[in-house]
Amino acid sequence: MVSSIPVSGSLETQLQQEFCQSSAIALSLFQRAIALVPDLEIDPVTHEVIGTPIADALGWQFTRFGLQARANQTAAIFVQESNEVWQAKIFGGESGKRSGSYLAPKGIGNRAYLPPVDPETRSQLGAPAEGSFWDWVESTPSIPIVPTEGGKKSLSALSAGSVAIALYGCDCGNSPDLTRFLVPGREVIIAFDQDAKAKTRARVNRSIARLARRAIAAGCSVRIALWDPALGKGLDDLIAAHGVEQWQQVLAAAPSFEQWQRRRISGAILQKLRFPLGNYQPTLQVSVPDLSTSVALENIPQTGIVGMISGKGTGKTKLLTRLVDCLERVLAPGHRESLQRGLGRRLGLDYLHDTDRAEGRKLGGNGEPTYRLSLCWDSLLAIPLKDYPAGSYDLVIDEADQGFRHLINGGTCGKRGMRPALIAKAEALIKGARRVLLASADLTSLELDYVSALRNEQPWILQNNYREDGYCCQFLTDIPGQTGSRNRARGAALAQLIEAIGRGDRLWIAVDTLKASKALFQLAIALGVPEKKILRFDGDTSSDPAQRCFADAPARWISQNKPQLVIASPSLTSGVSIELDYFNLVFGFFEGQSIAPWDVDQALSRVRQPVPRIVFAVAHGKSQGISAAQNALTYQADLYRRTELLSWFSGNRSLLDQVDFHSPSARYHAASSAERNAAMAEFGLSLRLRLEQAGNFVSLTTADPENPNLQSALELWKAATQQVRQADAAAIARAEAIDEETAIALRQKRVLTLSDRHKLSRYDLCQFYGINPDKLCLEDILMDANGRQRRQVEAWEFLVWSKLAQVKDKQKLDKLIQWQQPIPAQDLPGAQLLTTGAEILGVRELLAFLIQTTQSGNYWTKDSPEIKSFVDRCQAHPKEVKLCLNLTIRPSMQPTAIVGMVLKHFGLKTVMKRDGGTRKTRIRTRYYQLDMASLQQLKTLLQTRAKHYQAEGFQMRTHPLTLLLLEGVADGQAISTSQQQILEAHPLNHTLSQLKEAS
């Protein structure tokens, strides 16, 4: 039992004043919930110590005599309704100083504060006079609860008429004591402190989000109480200073968690847009339309790091030309061939692959040896370091943000395991340069950090704040959670595009996918636009003569050819701008699949004239990479965890020592990937705020579902996409059949024509599926779905063929190791992660169960034991599921959704039927089977390809899944049929605990 023990009268008065006046706690509630005790209880007659109340309450071992005399202490103990001690506030001496220490009993764990509530407060809250107050709250979901941090705050809120539950701090939202109150239908209003410090506020916001998601997953609705920190840090400060009415206004105005989250995300996005340089300060700031005529060369350093951040079309390239005009040695690497060829021409450099060679030296366009070169990062190994001694050259990196992302994160620089060598060469050139010139409209602290870390020096930064006149932009996006809103928004943009084409407007159309580029081309043809009046610039056409001429001199090409439509994908580089006053409208269709919002901003600004823009952008894009983390440290941790898993699964324990986690390039990869993930997660919002911040006039438009043109536009779009699919397949079917020698020769070419790519696609299809080239038909190509089915079949093969994943991974690792450089973690292979991760998580057992159930004519439901067992494993280990299988498990996902996601990963479809439900409940049960057609097609493919693996000496895995899939092929092979034997061989908990110990 905890009860008050007499303390000094003056001290008791001061403590009562602190709680009841400074924190606005009702006196009756204070007297019921707070016990005041001294550190020593003294017998009034004998004056002997008869108790140590503070030590007893906190579970301390009391030491009476120490080396120094100890001041007397008093504690205000927060008592639970159960009469246990929740927390004590310790005051030293008899001064009653307000700044006491809060301490919880030893070993108590993460407990919530559920105090005894006095009759007056019960009456105010409408609670029964007798019985447990908190049992009443638990049994009444209509009562909102207010989680807050600190016992005084919860007592203050209770005194003000709100049922508040205190946590030890904002990070304690996972307290098990909250579980009983988080039930469907209850409203939860989170009222944590309103901290002024940005770092603390960020930590509190993360804690709010965690608790909110926990409550939402339990079926609660969540709002977030917000107020001006100037009114008081905690809710008790707010109530004490401004009254209960102000607190009630705060509660009434509390936004939903979704609204709060949007505001928070918007604030974070705007912070990055307004301060892209982070902690760096510009050395020179200007606001001029043309840097090249406004900045004197003598003001720019001749050595070191020079950063230039300036908007599009403000003369950055012209200034760079002046800076390197008379230098003997200049290198300008970048991320796209057409960009670097054009940049080289403007800077007076020769493009690397346009040079000739004589006696080991490169010859420029004038026939003389040249050391002034532009090139792609991918070609960096062709540059001998001996030709560029340290301090003898300038390194020009235009569009530095895109260039470094391409070098360190991009797919093409990772081909054939070349990235370790490319990064090593790039960093050697950065370190050795006399001067490194970094230029971009979107230059950020990430690029400056990377180069500064390599050169160990601080940058000189020129920032141009000039902004051109903005354009009017109609912005269409989907509404998250509203079914069909994405399609309606896309349809509304397409309907306006169709009207503009009908009027004969000259249109620039920016897209972010090859698929959209092709579909819009087909749509325009269907609407009667002559093919010669359309310029399509994408991955399939960028090497064609017309497209090359356009990229080299866009104004001249447009003036000569007068196109009605230009369709531009990301293949059109950021160095191309249209200064000509020619286009009436700019459209944008962005599916969030490839380029980030900053690249979309560039794409919409290709046309410099402020003509109106009509933009469709999805609300949420797709993260690309190993982890979906939006924080650099979390992303790094995921990379390390993935490498650790691969090291453990492969038995190569030395792998962790070979992989680069801490170099400047590794830090840049983690930071830039996390930044991109954050932008893609809120793709539509990030893009809209970026356009607004650039000075454009953006109006958010909602599609009218009653618009008759909307549906017809979507039907035309669907027809166009189907035509593209058919036309692509027909082009592959018509391509010339080639042999292995020709295929090898084509793969070694630096640039492939569309015809070459079709030949290789035809060859690869025939090789994979074992089809006679003369018998390849359209159905085979359509079935392959642009390689998706091949990837799914390979995933199955890793599950049924022993050692196949190890062999594939070793081939990739050998290519990375050959350079004798640290291995970038992002380039590590993942076949063994898939195989062993699937084994540990029970994927093979699940698939075997589903196939066996279907073949026996039975069904499964979400409540089938095998389904529940698998789902429980996935939900217990979502991080491992993401790293091994690249599947995202969310707490709110239904069992059938998780199983469906796994089946989609492996290319299987399901069929579903429902019963009529019971007459009493009318709850209908859903029953599932695998689609027999897709299952049979898969088995046929696996059995056909089995001969290839048997010929190469691979052995089938001893598992029931093998027998189910490779009937006939696996006959006579000893296959274990006991699921328990498999589980015992790879016990999940044991394996994961070993991994935990290893890490």
Side-chain angles (χ1 to χ4, degrees):
M1 297 285 289
V2 180
S3 57
S4 293
I5 297 172
V7 297
S8 164
S10 62
L11 177 59
E12 182 174 0
T13 301
Q14 291 178 28
L15 294 180
Q16 184 174 305
Q17 181 178 358
E18 176 184 326
F19 278 73
C20 296
Q21 293 183 24
S22 300
S23 289
I25 299 171
L27 177 61
S28 57
L29 182 59
F30 167 77
Q31 292 172 339
R32 188 68 175 266
I34 302 296
L36 303 179
V37 299
D39 56 349
L40 298 177
E41 185 179 2
I42 308 295
D43 188 293
V45 177
T46 65
H47 301 289
E48 293 181 352
V49 175
I50 59 175
T52 55
I54 295 178
D56 294 344
L58 298 178
W60 294 351
Q61 183 177 355
F62 182 78
T63 303
R64 184 172 182 184
F65 300 105
L67 296 176
Q68 294 181 340
R70 213 168 26 83
N72 293 331
Q73 292 181 320
T74 302
I77 293 179
F78 293 82
V79 182
Q80 297 271 32
E81 187 182 62
S82 61
N83 208 41
E84 298 171 299
V85 176
W86 179 71
Q87 193 179 58
K89 185 175 185 181
I90 311 295
F91 300 87
E94 294 192 358
S95 64
K97 63 179 182 178
R98 197 175 193 279
S99 56
S101 301
Y102 287 96
L103 298 170
K106 186 178 180 181
I108 193 175
N110 184 6
R111 304 299 304 277
Y113 183 35
L114 308 175
V117 180
D118 64 287
E120 292 87 343
T121 306
R122 282 175 178 254
S123 176
Q124 180 184 356
L125 293 168
E130 302 294 333
S132 165
F133 174 83
W134 296 103
D135 285 351
W136 170 74
V137 173
E138 178 186 2
S139 63
T140 315
S142 59
I143 299 173
I145 62 170
V146 182
T148 187
E149 44 179 323
K152 286 200 295 184
K153 298 176 181 66
S154 69
L155 295 176
S156 179
L158 282 164
S159 302
S162 301
V163 178
I165 300 175
L167 306 169
Y168 287 125
C170 65
D171 294 324
C172 298
N174 60 342
S175 171
D177 293 339
L178 287 178
T179 304
R180 59 191 282 208
F181 303 105
L182 301 180
V183 295
R186 190 185 300 281
E187 184 178 46
V188 178
I189 307 172
I190 302 173
F192 288 169
D193 288 354
Q194 306 297 302
D195 292 276
K197 291 182 179 178
K199 191 172 182 180
T200 307
R201 193 166 60 247
R203 183 172 68 86
V204 172
N205 285 342
R206 289 194 294 271
S207 300
I208 289 174
R210 282 195 296 269
L211 176 54
R213 292 190 183 102
R214 178 188 176 189
I216 290 169
C220 303
S221 62
V222 177
R223 293 193 291 137
I224 313 299
L226 302 171
W227 60 91
D228 187 343
L231 300 178
K233 178 183 175 183
L235 68 86
D236 57 334
D237 303 317
L238 173 76
I239 296 171
H242 302 280
V244 174
E245 295 77 11
Q246 183 71 49
W247 168 243
Q248 294 298 335
Q249 290 175 20
V250 166
L251 290 179
S256 68
F257 172 66
E258 291 76 15
Q259 292 170 330
W260 173 84
Q261 187 81 317
R262 303 294 289 180
R263 292 182 194 174
R264 175 186 167 219
I265 292 169
S266 297
I269 294 169
L270 286 172
Q271 179 76 6
K272 288 185 178 180
L273 291 173
R274 288 167 183 163
F275 305 101
L277 298 179
N279 294 326
Y280 292 99
Q281 295 299 319
T283 315
L284 175 62
Q285 289 196 68
V286 296
S287 181
V288 295
D290 189 351
L291 284 175
S292 65
T293 59
S294 305
V295 178
L297 296 188
E298 55 266 25
N299 291 336
I300 299 176
Q302 299 298 304
T303 61
I305 306 168
V306 175
M308 298 182 195
I309 178 169
S310 184
K312 298 170 280 291
T314 53
K316 291 190 300 295
T317 305
K318 295 176 186 176
L319 180 58
L320 289 172
T321 302
R322 293 178 61 203
L323 287 170
V324 302
D325 187 35
C326 298
L327 301 181
E328 180 187 359
R329 284 175 165 82
V330 179
L331 282 176
H335 63 292
R336 288 191 186 276
E337 180 169 340
S338 54
L339 170 65
Q340 294 314 109
R341 181 177 272 111
L343 179 67
R345 189 165 44 253
R346 282 174 284 172
L347 296 183
L349 312 179
D350 292 293
Y351 183 64
L352 174 66
H353 294 295
D354 293 340
T355 59
D356 294 321
R357 292 182 63 84
E359 299 179 357
R361 292 190 294 178
K362 295 176 176 62
L363 304 181
N366 59 4
E368 296 295 324
T370 180
Y371 299 99
R372 293 168 55 88
L373 297 172
S374 67
L375 68 155
C376 288
W377 288 109
D378 312 57
S379 305
L380 210 55
L381 299 185
I383 302 297
L385 289 177
K386 64 180 179 60
D387 288 351
Y388 295 88
S392 69
Y393 60 96
D394 272 15
L395 189 65
V396 180
I397 308 177
D398 195 15
E399 308 295 348
D401 54 318
Q402 297 183 52
F404 285 144
R405 288 172 191 267
H406 176 79
L407 170 67
I408 296 171
N409 305 346
T412 58
C413 285
K415 285 184 177 179
R416 300 187 297 279
M418 291 179 61
R419 198 185 316 274
L422 290 173
I423 289 177
K425 179 66 73 70
E427 294 185 348
L429 289 169
I430 291 170
K431 291 175 184 177
R434 178 180 70 102
R435 180 171 58 180
V436 179
L437 295 163
L438 305 172
S440 177
D442 297 305
L443 189 70
T444 70
S445 58
L446 298 183
E447 290 74 47
L448 296 172
D449 283 343
Y450 178 47
V451 178
S452 296
L454 291 173
R455 291 179 61 93
N456 195 28
E457 59 185 1
Q458 289 301 300
W460 184 94
I461 302 172
L462 167 62
Q463 184 171 24
N464 185 7
N465 298 317
Y466 176 81
R467 291 194 306 198
E468 295 179 326
D469 293 338
Y471 51 75
C472 293
C473 176
Q474 182 188 144
F475 198 88
L476 293 141
T477 187
D478 50 305
I479 302 170
Q482 192 175 108
T483 305
S485 64
R486 175 176 295 188
N487 224 22
R488 287 195 294 274
R490 184 189 290 110
L494 285 168
Q496 294 185 70
L497 173 67
I498 292 168
E499 288 178 14
I501 291 174
R503 291 193 303 265
D505 289 348
R506 296 184 298 275
L507 308 176
W508 179 278
I509 308 173
V511 298
D512 63 347
T513 65
L514 175 62
K515 179 181 176 182
S517 176
K518 292 178 177 180
L520 287 168
F521 178 80
Q522 288 289 347
L523 178 64
I525 295 294
L527 293 171
V529 181
E531 187 171 339
K532 64 179 182 180
K533 288 294 182 181
I534 307 172
L535 179 75
R536 194 184 112 209
F537 199 110
D538 54 37
D540 280 359
T541 65
S542 59
S543 59
D544 292 351
Q547 281 72 5
R548 289 284 293 273
C549 291
F550 170 78
D552 289 343
R556 184 174 62 196
W557 190 94
I558 290 171
S559 299
Q560 291 174 351
N561 293 277
K562 296 182 171 49
Q564 183 180 349
L565 271 69
V566 174
I567 304 170
S569 81
S571 297
L572 186 64
T573 63
S574 49
V576 174
S577 63
I578 311 301
E579 308 286 350
L580 200 65
D581 185 7
Y582 179 80
F583 294 100
N584 307 120
L585 274 173
V586 173
F587 280 85
F589 293 88
F590 304 108
E591 301 290 341
Q593 297 293 311
S594 56
I595 59 175
W598 43 84
D599 297 318
V600 173
D601 182 17
Q602 292 259 9
L604 288 171
S605 300
R606 294 275 182 269
V607 176
R608 301 301 190 202
Q609 297 298 317
V611 298
R613 268 71 167 170
I614 299 170
V615 176
F616 161 73
V618 297
H620 302 302
K622 181 181 178 182
S623 64
Q624 290 182 335
I626 292 162
S627 166
Q630 299 177 23
N631 172 275
L633 291 177
T634 306
Y635 191 97
Q636 276 187 314
D638 285 350
L639 277 183
Y640 187 87
R641 176 63 168 157
R642 182 178 186 271
T643 308
E644 181 187 45
L645 287 170
L646 181 59
S647 171
W648 186 268
F649 292 166
S650 65
N652 181 5
R653 305 299 165 79
S654 65
L655 185 61
L656 283 169
D657 299 325
Q658 298 173 274
V659 174
D660 176 18
F661 296 108
H662 306 296
S663 73
S665 64
R667 293 197 298 271
Y668 181 85
H669 170 71
S672 59
S673 298
E675 182 182 65
R676 188 184 191 282
N677 285 344
M680 298 303 284
E682 296 294 337
F683 182 81
L685 179 62
S686 296
L687 176 58
R688 179 166 61 83
L689 294 176
R690 178 173 285 274
L691 295 177
E692 291 174 350
Q693 188 65 22
N696 303 305
F697 309 97
V698 182
S699 60
L700 188 61
T701 306
T702 303
D704 179 10
E706 303 301 323
N707 182 355
N709 295 330
L710 188 148
Q711 191 57 42
S712 62
L714 287 173
E715 289 172 1
L716 284 171
W717 177 252
K718 183 178 180 181
T721 54
Q722 290 174 343
Q723 286 174 357
V724 167
R725 186 167 174 259
Q726 292 285 335
D728 286 348
I732 294 172
R734 291 193 305 268
E736 177 190 347
I738 58 175
D739 56 21
E740 183 179 3
E741 185 179 349
T742 306
I744 293 172
L746 285 177
R747 293 188 208 282
Q748 291 174 343
K749 290 178 66 175
R750 188 176 53 83
V751 178
L752 290 174
T753 65
L754 182 58
S755 173
D756 290 339
R757 289 199 291 273
H758 285 153
K759 292 174 189 176
L760 275 175
S761 295
R762 194 179 201 282
Y763 174 81
D764 291 339
L765 275 163
C766 293
Q767 288 294 111
F768 187 89
Y769 294 113
I771 300 172
N772 185 323
D774 296 330
K775 295 184 178 179
L776 180 70
C777 63
L778 204 60
E779 288 71 23
D780 296 322
I781 301 168
L782 292 171
M783 179 185 67
D784 180 66
N786 199 27
R788 185 177 65 215
Q789 183 174 257
R790 274 176 277 173
R791 293 188 292 273
Q792 292 165 345
V793 169
E794 286 177 337
W796 282 101
E797 290 173 338
F798 290 144
L799 298 184
V800 299
W801 292 100
S802 181
K803 305 295 183 185
L804 177 60
Q806 290 93 319
V807 170
K808 296 281 188 183
D809 279 0
K810 186 177 183 304
Q811 290 171 351
K812 293 183 178 180
L813 269 176
D814 288 345
K815 291 177 181 177
L816 291 166
I817 293 170
Q818 66 176 320
W819 306 105
Q820 298 181 339
Q821 298 289 341
I823 299 172
Q826 62 269 29
D827 290 328
L828 289 174
Q832 287 177 92
L833 283 173
L834 168 65
T835 305
T836 313
E839 192 172 322
I840 292 171
L841 292 164
V843 172
R844 291 194 300 182
E845 286 66 45
L846 171 76
L847 294 172
F849 163 73
L850 300 180
I851 293 172
Q852 212 159 15
T853 300
T854 299
Q855 292 185 161
S856 61
N858 295 319
Y859 294 83
W860 71 84
T861 71
K862 64 182 179 65
D863 297 319
S864 298
E866 293 83 357
I867 301 296
K868 295 183 73 174
S869 173
F870 174 75
V871 168
D872 288 345
R873 290 185 180 204
C874 290
Q875 290 180 328
H877 304 285
K879 182 73 73 177
E880 282 70 27
V881 174
K882 176 63 179 176
L883 294 177
C884 294
L885 306 181
N886 197 28
L887 301 176
T888 301
I889 304 295
R890 296 184 177 86
S892 59
M893 291 181 73
Q894 293 295 317
T896 49
I898 293 175
V899 172
M901 187 166 57
V902 173
L903 290 175
K904 184 178 179 181
H905 183 73
F906 287 96
L908 284 179
K909 301 175 184 177
T910 58
V911 292
M912 183 269 293
K913 70 173 187 177
R914 288 185 287 194
D915 63 16
T918 64
R919 181 176 296 180
K920 190 173 183 180
T921 64
R922 294 295 181 190
I923 297 175
R924 304 175 70 184
T925 303
R926 298 185 178 193
Y927 297 89
Y928 297 87
Q929 276 187 334
L930 294 177
D931 174 63
M932 283 300 296
S934 65
L935 175 60
Q936 189 55 50
Q937 178 179 300
L938 168 71
K939 290 168 71 173
T940 302
L941 288 173
L942 290 173
Q943 290 165 17
T944 300
R945 286 176 52 78
K947 299 169 186 176
H948 165 73
Y949 290 113
Q950 287 177 323
E952 291 194 358
F954 287 99
Q955 299 296 314
M956 286 175 275
R957 293 182 183 272
T958 56
H959 190 276
L961 183 64
T962 307
L963 188 60
L964 289 167
L965 293 171
L966 300 179
E967 294 171 297
V969 180
D971 287 353
Q973 184 158 328
I975 303 290
S976 171
T977 56
S978 169
Q979 182 171 326
Q980 187 60 35
Q981 288 177 346
I982 301 297
L983 294 178
E984 289 172 357
H986 300 282
L988 176 69
N989 295 330
H990 177 61
T991 304
L992 290 177
S993 66
Q994 284 180 320
L995 286 172
K996 188 175 181 181
E997 290 170 9
S999 61

